[in-house]
Amino acid sequence: MNHPLDRNEMKTFMSANDGRFWFDVEFVYPDRSKLKQSVNFDFRLHDPQSVPENSNWIDIQYEHTDDNVLQPFITLNGGQLWRATPRTNSKIVILKFGSVIVSIDIDSNGINYSFDESTTWFRYDLFKTKPTVLYIGRVPKTDLKAVVVTSEPGSKNLKFTTLDFSHIFKFQCEPKHYLQWTFTRNGETCYRGKNISMLTRDPSIRCVDNIIEHMRADSFCPCTSDDYSCTFNYHSFDDVCILDPLSDTTEQPYDCGSGSHFDLHQMGY
């Protein structure tokens, strides 16, 4: 959500619990010379397939720039901090657990890629004729390969180009190659009844990350309403789910038959 701070400035806030609570969002640009407190994401461009499975702390969103190209932003900590990546006219792709981030440059001749969670970017001139980029994505059943589909002007043929980064990552990650950090949501460390810590590859180490589950439960904690979302026809209000007055659903009174007992529960979750 973008909320006005004054007449000329907006600030972006995020919510992970259906709008019950809102928190600040930080945006970081590569040269750190550009400071913005708000962006206008085009959520229609969001593509869950761009992020590896079991990586719910990673996400990619896009903003349209004034010169009609895409400015991607990537978060690696659940949306608290978003890093701007090189601009593009196509999608950005993340390979296994953020090991490689790759996109096509706006000139469509080169690829931009990063091995350290978008801190450092490299460019490689892959094409020479500025082809039309039709698709970029991960190669199925592989960890460190992407594919680019292009077409040349005046040609009906499609060209498939494979980007293989496996030769860059030459050894398996060991326990000492991981960083441990606390996963927070809505300013709290409790997530679905557990205090969660994250184990992610040290971005300065180019090793193959084969851990399947990166979220680890350190201890148990009480569940709250933030751990549940409102079901269809309900919306959150004052930390509870209430029936949407515009829906066609009506709440039925409790009817305890013979031999049963009353069990209070919150409707809408």
Side-chain angles (χ1 to χ4, degrees):
M1 176 185 71
N2 286 335
H3 184 75
L5 295 180
D6 53 41
R7 292 183 178 180
N8 300 317
E9 187 176 10
M10 303 286 287
K11 184 172 178 59
T12 299
F13 297 87
M14 68 161 287
S15 173
N17 57 6
D18 296 332
R20 293 189 183 99
F21 303 104
W22 294 87
F23 296 88
D24 291 347
V25 177
E26 182 180 358
F27 300 99
V28 177
Y29 289 80
D31 57 4
R32 295 187 177 271
S33 62
K34 186 177 181 181
L35 297 177
K36 290 181 64 177
Q37 295 197 79
S38 67
V39 298
N40 294 302
F41 288 151
D42 186 347
F43 294 107
R44 297 172 299 178
L45 299 177
H46 182 256
D47 181 10
Q49 300 300 320
S50 297
V51 178
E53 295 181 0
N54 302 319
S55 303
N56 56 352
W57 65 95
I58 302 176
D59 196 16
I60 306 171
Q61 297 291 346
Y62 300 87
E63 181 183 42
H64 295 279
T65 65
D66 294 336
D67 51 352
N68 200 31
V69 298
L70 296 179
Q71 173 61 74
F73 289 85
I74 180 173
T75 179
L76 299 166
N77 64 355
Q80 301 172 65
L81 184 145
W82 294 83
R83 292 184 179 274
T85 68
R87 302 190 308 165
T88 182
N89 286 313
S90 56
K91 296 294 183 68
I92 188 172
V93 174
I94 301 179
L95 303 185
K96 190 173 184 179
F97 302 125
S99 54
V100 182
I101 307 171
V102 60
S103 66
I104 305 296
D105 198 274
I106 55 177
D107 64 8
S108 75
N109 271 344
I111 62 170
N112 297 306
Y113 57 97
S114 173
F115 300 132
D116 56 3
E117 299 182 347
S118 77
T119 300
T120 307
W121 287 90
F122 304 95
R123 175 188 165 100
Y124 176 76
D125 288 326
L126 186 64
F127 307 108
K128 297 181 180 180
T129 57
K130 296 184 178 181
T132 299
V133 179
L134 303 176
Y135 174 80
I136 178 172
R138 299 192 308 276
V139 176
K141 298 182 180 180
T142 66
D143 295 331
L144 295 168
K145 292 182 180 180
V147 62
V148 182
V149 182
T150 58
S151 65
E152 298 287 347
S155 174
K156 296 182 180 180
N157 296 326
L158 299 180
K159 182 178 181 180
F160 292 76
T161 304
T162 300
L163 309 176
D164 187 355
F165 295 93
S166 59
H167 64 286
I168 303 294
F169 298 79
K170 298 182 179 180
F171 60 93
Q172 303 289 327
C173 292
E174 300 177 11
K176 63 182 179 181
H177 299 142
Y178 289 90
L179 300 177
Q180 182 171 337
W181 50 279
T182 302
F183 183 84
T184 60
R185 190 186 64 160
N186 304 325
E188 302 292 338
T189 59
C190 186
Y191 178 70
R192 296 179 180 176
K194 300 176 182 178
N195 288 309
I196 300 296
S197 64
M198 301 292 300
L199 281 179
T200 53
R201 178 184 64 92
D202 184 336
S204 65
I205 306 296
R206 296 179 184 177
C207 58
V208 179
D209 181 2
N210 281 325
I211 291 182
I212 297 177
E213 184 55 65
H214 288 73
M215 302 179 72
R216 296 189 175 183
D218 295 329
S219 59
F220 293 99
C221 52
C223 287
T224 68
S225 58
D226 290 345
D227 294 309
Y228 304 90
S229 60
C230 296
T231 191
F232 187 70
N233 285 327
Y234 288 79
H235 65 87
S236 59
F237 178 78
D238 197 20
D239 209 27
V240 297
C241 292
I242 63 173
L243 186 66
D244 188 341
L246 299 179
S247 70
D248 296 329
T249 303
T250 58
E251 291 182 334
Q252 299 295 327
Y254 295 109
D255 183 14
C256 296
S258 176
S260 63
H261 65 280
F262 180 77
D263 186 8
L264 180 65
H265 68 281
Q266 172 63 50
M267 294 190 66
Y269 288 109

